[in-house]
Coordinates of all heavy atoms in Angstrom, one line a residue:
M3 N 6.0 35.5 -22.1 CA 7.3 35.1 -21.6 C 8.4 35.7 -22.5 O 8.3 35.6 -23.7 CB 7.4 33.6 -21.6 CG 8.7 33.1 -21.1 SD 8.9 31.3 -21.0 CE 8.0 31.0 -19.5
S4 N 9.4 36.2 -21.9 CA 10.5 36.8 -22.6 C 11.5 35.8 -22.9 O 11.6 34.8 -22.2 CB 11.2 37.9 -21.8 OG 10.3 39.0 -21.5
L5 N 12.3 36.1 -23.9 CA 13.5 35.2 -24.3 C 14.7 36.0 -24.0 O 14.9 37.1 -24.5 CB 13.4 34.8 -25.7 CG 14.6 34.0 -26.2 CD1 14.7 32.6 -25.5 CD2 14.5 33.8 -27.7
L6 N 15.6 35.4 -23.1 CA 16.9 36.0 -22.9 C 17.9 35.1 -23.6 O 17.8 33.9 -23.6 CB 17.2 36.1 -21.4 CG 16.3 37.0 -20.6 CD1 16.8 37.0 -19.1 CD2 16.3 38.4 -21.1
T7 N 19.0 35.7 -24.1 CA 20.1 35.0 -24.7 C 21.4 35.2 -24.0 O 21.7 36.4 -23.8 CB 20.2 35.4 -26.2 OG1 18.9 35.2 -26.8 CG2 21.2 34.6 -26.9
V8 N 22.1 34.2 -23.7 CA 23.5 34.3 -23.2 C 24.4 33.9 -24.4 O 24.3 32.8 -24.9 CB 23.7 33.4 -22.0 CG1 25.2 33.4 -21.6 CG2 22.9 33.8 -20.8
Y9 N 25.2 34.9 -24.8 CA 26.2 34.6 -25.8 C 27.5 34.3 -25.0 O 28.0 35.1 -24.2 CB 26.5 35.9 -26.7 CG 25.3 36.2 -27.5 CD1 24.4 37.2 -27.1 CD2 25.0 35.5 -28.7 CE1 23.3 37.5 -27.9 CE2 23.9 35.8 -29.5 CZ 23.0 36.8 -29.1 OH 21.9 37.1 -29.8
G10 N 28.0 33.1 -25.3 CA 29.2 32.6 -24.5 C 30.0 31.6 -25.3 O 29.9 31.5 -26.5
R11 N 30.8 30.9 -24.5 CA 31.6 29.8 -25.0 C 31.5 28.6 -24.2 O 31.2 28.7 -23.0 CB 33.1 30.2 -25.0 CG 33.4 31.3 -25.9 CD 35.0 31.5 -26.1 NE 35.2 32.2 -27.3 CZ 35.4 33.6 -27.3 NH1 35.2 34.3 -26.2 NH2 35.6 34.2 -28.4
E12 N 31.7 27.4 -24.8 CA 31.5 26.2 -24.0 C 32.5 26.1 -22.8 O 32.1 25.7 -21.8 CB 31.7 25.0 -25.0 CG 31.3 23.7 -24.4 CD 31.3 22.6 -25.4 OE1 30.8 22.8 -26.5 OE2 31.8 21.5 -25.0
D13 N 33.7 26.5 -23.0 CA 34.7 26.3 -22.0 C 35.0 27.7 -21.2 O 36.1 28.1 -21.0 CB 36.1 25.8 -22.5 CG 36.0 24.4 -23.1 OD1 35.2 23.7 -22.6 OD2 36.6 24.1 -24.1
C14 N 33.9 28.3 -20.8 CA 34.0 29.6 -20.2 C 33.3 29.5 -18.8 O 32.1 29.4 -18.7 CB 33.2 30.6 -21.1 SG 32.9 32.2 -20.3
H15 N 34.1 29.6 -17.7 CA 33.5 29.5 -16.4 C 32.6 30.7 -16.1 O 31.6 30.5 -15.4 CB 34.6 29.3 -15.3 CG 35.3 30.5 -15.0 ND1 36.4 31.0 -15.7 CD2 35.2 31.4 -14.0 CE1 36.8 32.1 -15.2 NE2 36.1 32.4 -14.1
L16 N 32.9 31.9 -16.6 CA 32.0 33.0 -16.4 C 30.7 32.8 -17.0 O 29.6 33.2 -16.5 CB 32.6 34.3 -16.9 CG 33.9 34.8 -16.1 CD1 34.4 36.1 -16.8 CD2 33.6 35.1 -14.7
C17 N 30.7 32.2 -18.2 CA 29.4 31.9 -18.9 C 28.6 30.9 -18.1 O 27.4 31.1 -17.9 CB 29.7 31.3 -20.3 SG 30.7 32.3 -21.3
H18 N 29.2 29.8 -17.6 CA 28.5 28.9 -16.8 C 27.9 29.5 -15.5 O 26.8 29.2 -15.1 CB 29.4 27.7 -16.5 CG 29.8 26.9 -17.7 ND1 28.9 26.1 -18.4 CD2 30.9 26.8 -18.3 CE1 29.5 25.6 -19.5 NE2 30.8 26.0 -19.4
D19 N 28.7 30.4 -14.9 CA 28.3 31.1 -13.7 C 27.1 31.9 -14.0 O 26.1 31.9 -13.2 CB 29.4 32.0 -13.1 CG 30.6 31.2 -12.5 OD1 30.4 29.9 -12.4 OD2 31.6 31.8 -12.3
M20 N 27.1 32.7 -15.1 CA 26.0 33.6 -15.4 C 24.7 32.7 -15.6 O 23.6 33.1 -15.1 CB 26.2 34.4 -16.6 CG 25.1 35.4 -17.0 SD 25.4 36.4 -18.4 CE 26.4 37.7 -17.8
I21 N 24.8 31.6 -16.4 CA 23.7 30.8 -16.6 C 23.1 30.2 -15.3 O 21.9 30.2 -15.1 CB 24.1 29.7 -17.6 CG1 24.4 30.3 -19.0 CG2 23.0 28.6 -17.7 CD1 25.1 29.3 -19.9
A22 N 24.0 29.8 -14.4 CA 23.5 29.3 -13.1 C 22.8 30.3 -12.3 O 21.8 30.1 -11.7 CB 24.7 28.7 -12.4
E23 N 23.4 31.5 -12.3 CA 22.8 32.6 -11.5 C 21.4 33.1 -12.1 O 20.5 33.5 -11.3 CB 23.7 33.8 -11.5 CG 25.0 33.6 -10.7 CD 26.0 34.7 -10.8 OE1 25.6 35.9 -11.1 OE2 27.2 34.4 -10.7
L24 N 21.3 33.0 -13.4 CA 20.0 33.4 -14.0 C 18.8 32.5 -13.5 O 17.7 33.0 -13.4 CB 20.1 33.4 -15.5 CG 20.8 34.6 -16.1 CD1 21.1 34.3 -17.6 CD2 19.8 35.8 -16.1
A25 N 19.1 31.2 -13.3 CA 18.1 30.3 -12.8 C 17.4 30.8 -11.6 O 16.2 30.6 -11.4 CB 18.7 28.9 -12.6
A26 N 18.1 31.5 -10.7 CA 17.5 32.1 -9.5 C 16.5 33.2 -9.8 O 15.6 33.4 -8.9 CB 18.6 32.6 -8.5
F27 N 16.6 33.8 -10.9 CA 15.7 34.9 -11.3 C 14.5 34.5 -12.1 O 13.6 35.3 -12.3 CB 16.5 36.0 -12.0 CG 17.5 36.7 -11.2 CD1 18.8 36.3 -11.1 CD2 17.0 37.8 -10.4 CE1 19.7 37.0 -10.3 CE2 17.9 38.5 -9.6 CZ 19.3 38.1 -9.5
Q28 N 14.4 33.2 -12.5 CA 13.3 32.8 -13.4 C 12.0 32.8 -12.7 O 11.0 33.2 -13.3 CB 13.6 31.4 -14.0 CG 14.5 31.5 -15.2 CD 14.7 30.2 -15.9 OE1 15.1 29.2 -15.3 NE2 14.5 30.3 -17.2
P29 N 11.9 32.6 -11.3 CA 10.6 32.7 -10.7 C 10.1 34.1 -10.7 O 8.9 34.4 -10.7 CB 10.8 32.2 -9.3 CG 12.0 31.3 -9.4 CD 12.9 31.9 -10.5
D30 N 11.0 35.1 -10.6 CA 10.6 36.5 -10.5 C 10.3 37.1 -11.8 O 9.4 37.9 -12.0 CB 11.7 37.3 -9.8 CG 11.9 36.9 -8.4 OD1 10.9 36.5 -7.7 OD2 13.1 37.0 -7.9
Y31 N 11.1 36.7 -12.8 CA 10.9 37.3 -14.2 C 10.7 36.1 -15.1 O 11.6 35.3 -15.3 CB 12.2 38.0 -14.7 CG 12.7 39.0 -13.7 CD1 13.9 38.9 -13.1 CD2 12.0 40.2 -13.4 CE1 14.4 39.8 -12.2 CE2 12.4 41.1 -12.6 CZ 13.7 41.0 -12.0 OH 14.2 41.9 -11.1
S32 N 9.5 35.9 -15.6 CA 9.2 34.8 -16.5 C 10.0 34.9 -17.8 O 9.7 35.8 -18.6 CB 7.7 34.7 -16.7 OG 7.4 33.6 -17.5
F33 N 11.0 34.1 -18.0 CA 11.8 34.1 -19.2 C 12.3 32.7 -19.6 O 12.5 31.9 -18.7 CB 12.9 35.1 -19.1 CG 14.0 34.8 -18.1 CD1 15.0 33.9 -18.4 CD2 13.9 35.3 -16.8 CE1 16.0 33.6 -17.5 CE2 14.9 35.0 -15.8 CZ 15.9 34.1 -16.2
A34 N 12.5 32.6 -20.8 CA 13.1 31.4 -21.4 C 14.6 31.8 -21.6 O 14.9 33.0 -21.9 CB 12.5 30.9 -22.6
L35 N 15.5 30.8 -21.6 CA 16.9 31.1 -21.7 C 17.5 30.3 -22.9 O 17.3 29.1 -23.0 CB 17.7 30.8 -20.5 CG 19.1 31.2 -20.4 CD1 19.3 32.7 -20.5 CD2 19.8 30.7 -19.1
E36 N 18.1 31.1 -23.8 CA 18.8 30.5 -24.9 C 20.3 30.7 -24.7 O 20.7 31.8 -24.4 CB 18.3 31.2 -26.2 CG 19.0 30.9 -27.4 CD 18.6 31.7 -28.6 OE1 18.4 32.9 -28.5 OE2 18.4 31.1 -29.7
V37 N 21.1 29.7 -25.0 CA 22.5 29.9 -24.9 C 23.1 29.7 -26.3 O 22.9 28.7 -27.0 CB 23.1 28.8 -23.9 CG1 24.7 29.0 -23.8 CG2 22.5 29.0 -22.5
V38 N 23.9 30.6 -26.7 CA 24.5 30.6 -28.1 C 26.0 30.6 -27.9 O 26.6 31.5 -27.3 CB 24.0 31.8 -28.9 CG1 24.7 31.9 -30.3 CG2 22.5 31.8 -29.1
D39 N 26.7 29.7 -28.6 CA 28.1 29.6 -28.6 C 28.7 30.5 -29.7 O 28.5 30.3 -30.9 CB 28.6 28.2 -28.8 CG 30.1 28.0 -28.7 OD1 30.8 29.0 -28.8 OD2 30.5 26.8 -28.5
V40 N 29.3 31.6 -29.3 CA 29.8 32.6 -30.2 C 30.9 32.0 -31.2 O 31.1 32.6 -32.3 CB 30.3 33.9 -29.6 CG1 29.2 34.6 -28.8 CG2 31.5 33.6 -28.7
D41 N 31.5 31.0 -30.7 CA 32.6 30.4 -31.6 C 32.0 29.7 -32.8 O 32.8 29.3 -33.7 CB 33.5 29.5 -30.8 CG 34.3 30.2 -29.7 OD1 34.7 31.4 -30.0 OD2 34.6 29.7 -28.7
E42 N 30.7 29.4 -32.8 CA 30.1 28.7 -33.9 C 29.6 29.7 -35.0 O 29.1 29.3 -36.1 CB 28.9 27.9 -33.4 CG 29.4 26.7 -32.6 CD 28.3 25.8 -32.1 OE1 27.1 26.0 -32.6 OE2 28.5 25.0 -31.3
D43 N 29.8 31.0 -34.8 CA 29.3 32.0 -35.8 C 30.4 33.1 -35.8 O 30.6 33.8 -34.8 CB 28.0 32.5 -35.4 CG 27.4 33.5 -36.4 OD1 28.1 34.5 -36.7 OD2 26.2 33.3 -36.8
E44 N 31.0 33.3 -36.9 CA 32.1 34.3 -37.0 C 31.6 35.7 -36.7 O 32.3 36.5 -36.0 CB 32.7 34.3 -38.5 CG 33.9 35.2 -38.6 CD 34.5 35.0 -40.0 OE1 34.6 33.9 -40.5 OE2 35.0 36.1 -40.5
T45 N 30.4 36.1 -37.1 CA 29.9 37.4 -36.9 C 29.7 37.6 -35.4 O 30.1 38.6 -34.8 CB 28.6 37.6 -37.6 OG1 28.8 37.4 -39.0 CG2 28.0 39.0 -37.4
L46 N 29.1 36.6 -34.7 CA 28.9 36.7 -33.2 C 30.2 36.7 -32.5 O 30.4 37.4 -31.5 CB 28.0 35.5 -32.7 CG 26.6 35.6 -33.2 CD1 25.9 34.3 -32.7 CD2 25.9 36.8 -32.7
E47 N 31.2 35.9 -33.0 CA 32.5 35.9 -32.4 C 33.2 37.3 -32.4 O 33.8 37.7 -31.4 CB 33.4 34.8 -33.0 CG 34.5 34.3 -32.1 CD 35.7 35.3 -32.1 OE1 36.0 36.0 -33.1 OE2 36.3 35.4 -31.0
Q48 N 33.1 37.9 -33.6 CA 33.6 39.3 -33.7 C 32.9 40.3 -32.8 O 33.5 41.2 -32.3 CB 33.6 39.7 -35.2 CG 34.6 39.0 -36.0 CD 34.5 39.3 -37.5 OE1 33.7 40.2 -37.9 NE2 35.3 38.7 -38.3
Q49 N 31.6 40.1 -32.7 CA 30.7 41.1 -32.0 C 30.9 40.9 -30.5 O 31.0 41.9 -29.7 CB 29.3 40.9 -32.4 CG 28.3 41.9 -31.7 CD 26.9 41.8 -32.3 OE1 26.6 41.0 -33.1 NE2 26.1 42.6 -31.8
Y50 N 30.9 39.7 -30.0 CA 30.8 39.4 -28.6 C 32.1 38.7 -28.0 O 32.2 38.5 -26.8 CB 29.6 38.5 -28.2 CG 28.3 39.2 -28.5 CD1 27.4 38.6 -29.4 CD2 27.9 40.4 -27.9 CE1 26.2 39.2 -29.7 CE2 26.7 41.0 -28.2 CZ 25.8 40.4 -29.1 OH 24.6 41.0 -29.3
G51 N 33.0 38.2 -28.9 CA 34.1 37.4 -28.4 C 34.8 37.8 -27.2 O 35.2 37.1 -26.3
H52 N 35.1 39.1 -27.1 CA 35.9 39.6 -26.0 C 35.1 40.0 -24.8 O 35.6 40.4 -23.8 CB 36.8 40.8 -26.5 CG 36.0 42.0 -26.9 ND1 35.3 42.0 -28.1 CD2 35.8 43.2 -26.3 CE1 34.7 43.2 -28.2 NE2 35.0 43.9 -27.1
L53 N 33.7 39.9 -24.9 CA 32.8 40.4 -23.9 C 32.1 39.2 -23.2 O 31.4 39.4 -22.2 CB 31.7 41.3 -24.4 CG 32.2 42.6 -25.0 CD1 31.0 43.3 -25.6 CD2 32.8 43.5 -24.0
V54 N 32.3 38.0 -23.6 CA 31.5 36.9 -23.1 C 31.7 36.7 -21.6 O 32.8 36.9 -21.1 CB 31.8 35.6 -23.9 CG1 31.3 35.7 -25.3 CG2 33.2 35.1 -23.8
P55 N 30.7 36.3 -20.9 CA 29.3 36.1 -21.5 C 28.6 37.4 -21.6 O 28.8 38.4 -20.8 CB 28.6 35.3 -20.4 CG 29.3 35.6 -19.1 CD 30.8 35.9 -19.5
V56 N 27.7 37.5 -22.6 CA 26.9 38.6 -22.8 C 25.4 38.2 -22.6 O 25.0 37.2 -23.3 CB 27.1 39.2 -24.2 CG1 26.1 40.4 -24.5 CG2 28.5 39.7 -24.4
L57 N 24.7 38.9 -21.8 CA 23.2 38.6 -21.6 C 22.5 39.6 -22.5 O 22.7 40.9 -22.3 CB 22.8 38.7 -20.2 CG 21.3 38.5 -19.9 CD1 20.9 37.1 -20.3 CD2 21.0 38.7 -18.4
A58 N 21.6 39.2 -23.3 CA 20.8 40.1 -24.2 C 19.4 39.6 -24.2 O 19.0 38.5 -23.9 CB 21.4 40.0 -25.6
G59 N 18.5 40.6 -24.4 CA 17.1 40.4 -24.5 C 16.5 41.3 -25.5 O 16.8 42.5 -25.5
N60 N 15.7 40.8 -26.4 CA 15.0 41.6 -27.4 C 16.0 42.5 -28.2 O 15.8 43.7 -28.4 CB 14.0 42.5 -26.7 CG 12.8 42.8 -27.6 OD1 12.6 42.1 -28.6 ND2 12.1 43.8 -27.3
G61 N 17.2 42.0 -28.5 CA 18.2 42.7 -29.3 C 19.0 43.7 -28.5 O 19.8 44.5 -29.0
E62 N 18.8 43.8 -27.2 CA 19.4 44.8 -26.3 C 20.4 44.1 -25.3 O 20.0 43.1 -24.7 CB 18.4 45.5 -25.5 CG 18.9 46.4 -24.4 CD 17.7 46.9 -23.5 OE1 16.6 46.9 -23.9 OE2 18.1 47.4 -22.4
E63 N 21.6 44.6 -25.3 CA 22.6 44.0 -24.3 C 22.2 44.4 -22.9 O 22.1 45.6 -22.6 CB 24.0 44.5 -24.6 CG 25.0 43.8 -23.7 CD 26.5 44.3 -24.0 OE1 26.8 44.3 -25.2 OE2 27.2 44.6 -23.1
I64 N 22.0 43.5 -22.0 CA 21.7 43.8 -20.6 C 22.9 43.9 -19.8 O 23.1 44.8 -19.0 CB 20.7 42.7 -20.1 CG1 19.5 42.6 -20.9 CG2 20.4 42.9 -18.6 CD1 18.6 41.4 -20.6
C65 N 23.9 43.0 -19.9 CA 25.1 43.0 -19.2 C 26.1 42.0 -19.8 O 25.7 41.2 -20.6 CB 24.9 42.7 -17.7 SG 24.2 41.1 -17.4
H66 N 27.4 42.2 -19.4 CA 28.4 41.2 -19.9 C 29.4 41.0 -18.7 O 29.4 41.7 -17.8 CB 29.1 41.7 -21.1 CG 29.7 43.0 -21.0 ND1 29.1 44.2 -21.3 CD2 31.0 43.3 -20.7 CE1 30.0 45.2 -21.1 NE2 31.1 44.7 -20.7
Y67 N 30.2 39.9 -18.9 CA 31.1 39.4 -17.9 C 30.5 38.7 -16.7 O 30.8 37.6 -16.4 CB 32.1 40.4 -17.5 CG 33.0 41.0 -18.5 CD1 33.2 42.4 -18.6 CD2 33.6 40.3 -19.5 CE1 34.0 43.0 -19.6 CE2 34.4 40.8 -20.5 CZ 34.6 42.2 -20.5 OH 35.3 42.8 -21.5
H68 N 29.6 39.5 -16.0 CA 28.9 39.0 -14.8 C 27.5 39.4 -14.9 O 27.1 40.4 -15.4 CB 29.6 39.5 -13.5 CG 31.0 39.2 -13.4 ND1 31.5 38.0 -13.0 CD2 32.1 40.0 -13.7 CE1 32.8 38.0 -13.1 NE2 33.2 39.2 -13.5
L69 N 26.6 38.6 -14.2 CA 25.2 38.9 -14.2 C 25.0 40.2 -13.3 O 25.6 40.2 -12.2 CB 24.4 37.8 -13.6 CG 22.9 38.0 -13.5 CD1 22.3 38.3 -14.9 CD2 22.2 36.9 -12.9
D70 N 24.3 41.2 -13.8 CA 24.1 42.4 -13.1 C 22.6 42.4 -12.8 O 21.7 42.7 -13.6 CB 24.4 43.6 -14.0 CG 24.2 44.9 -13.3 OD1 23.5 45.0 -12.3 OD2 24.8 45.9 -13.8
P71 N 22.2 42.1 -11.5 CA 20.8 42.0 -11.1 C 20.1 43.3 -11.3 O 18.9 43.3 -11.6 CB 20.9 41.6 -9.7 CG 22.2 40.9 -9.5 CD 23.1 41.6 -10.4
V72 N 20.8 44.4 -11.1 CA 20.1 45.8 -11.3 C 19.8 46.0 -12.7 O 18.7 46.5 -13.1 CB 21.0 46.9 -10.7 CG1 20.5 48.3 -11.0 CG2 21.3 46.7 -9.2
A73 N 20.7 45.7 -13.6 CA 20.4 45.8 -15.1 C 19.3 44.9 -15.5 O 18.5 45.2 -16.3 CB 21.7 45.6 -15.9
L74 N 19.3 43.7 -14.9 CA 18.3 42.7 -15.3 C 16.9 43.2 -14.8 O 15.9 43.2 -15.6 CB 18.6 41.3 -14.6 CG 17.6 40.2 -15.0 CD1 17.7 39.9 -16.5 CD2 18.0 39.0 -14.2
A75 N 16.8 43.8 -13.6 CA 15.6 44.4 -13.1 C 15.2 45.5 -14.0 O 14.0 45.7 -14.3 CB 15.7 44.8 -11.7
G76 N 16.1 46.4 -14.4 CA 15.8 47.5 -15.3 C 15.3 47.1 -16.6 O 14.3 47.7 -17.1
Y77 N 15.8 46.0 -17.2 CA 15.4 45.5 -18.4 C 13.9 45.0 -18.3 O 13.1 45.4 -19.1 CB 16.2 44.3 -18.9 CG 15.7 43.5 -20.1 CD1 15.8 44.1 -21.4 CD2 15.0 42.4 -19.9 CE1 15.3 43.4 -22.5 CE2 14.5 41.7 -21.0 CZ 14.6 42.2 -22.3 OH 14.1 41.6 -23.3
F78 N 13.6 44.3 -17.3 CA 12.2 43.8 -17.1 C 11.3 44.9 -16.7 O 10.1 44.9 -17.0 CB 12.1 42.6 -16.2 CG 12.6 41.3 -16.8 CD1 13.8 40.7 -16.5 CD2 11.7 40.7 -17.7 CE1 14.2 39.6 -17.1 CE2 12.1 39.5 -18.3 CZ 13.3 38.9 -18.0
G79 N 11.8 45.9 -16.0 CA 11.0 47.1 -15.6 C 10.5 47.9 -16.8 O 9.4 48.4 -16.9
K80 N 11.4 47.9 -17.9 CA 11.0 48.6 -19.1 C 9.9 47.9 -19.9 O 9.2 48.5 -20.6 CB 12.2 48.8 -20.0 CG 13.2 49.9 -19.5 CD 14.2 50.2 -20.5 CE 15.2 49.0 -20.7 NZ 16.3 49.3 -21.6
M81 N 9.9 46.6 -19.7 CA 8.9 45.7 -20.4 C 7.6 45.7 -19.8 O 6.6 45.3 -20.4 CB 9.5 44.3 -20.5 CG 10.8 44.3 -21.3 SD 11.3 42.6 -21.7 CE 10.0 42.2 -22.8
A82 N 7.5 46.2 -18.5 CA 6.2 46.1 -17.8 C 5.2 47.2 -18.3 O 5.6 48.2 -18.8 CB 6.4 46.3 -16.3

């Protein structure tokens, strides 16, 4: 099972939208989801603050702002 991470903010509607949309893909791509608040870590805030939400897996940025199903499929395709 893969671990995907959403870097976001608590009061971010785009972040909540991405997290909700990812749930629809869990049956197709077996993954666990971790949500990290960038405002709790200065380094992450500097790295991702203007891009949130950012979806990452295995240290690789998959997409940001909105869930990109094509990029998500490409990420899991490389892992197969």
